[in-house]
Amino acid sequence: MTGEHWTIEIDSAVCVGSGLCAGSAARTFTLDTAGRATAPESPVPADPDLLEAAENCPAAAITLRTAEEGKEIFAP
């Protein structure tokens, strides 16, 4: 993962605002005023915490892709 960057896509239509993503990767995910997940502008440095957040999202609202090739790393 060193030097690799990922893009983050959050499907706000299915996000339930559980906050698990913000708990797993607090440096990346925050919750907006409606309680839904938000992420910073992509790309972001690859981080195992991001993968954990995507895998544990109860609404399956997070997709991660490589910034360079657009290859799916994790998709619901």
Side-chain angles (χ1 to χ4, degrees), residues 14-62:
V14 300
C15 177
V16 296
S18 73
L20 288 176
C21 58
S24 296
R27 292 176 296 181
T28 304
F29 295 99
T30 57
L31 301 179
D32 65 15
T33 57
R36 294 204 166 79
T38 62
E41 293 284 325
S42 293
V44 296
D47 185 335
D49 290 344
L50 296 176
L51 184 57
E52 179 182 341
E55 290 173 340
N56 292 326
C57 177
I62 303 170

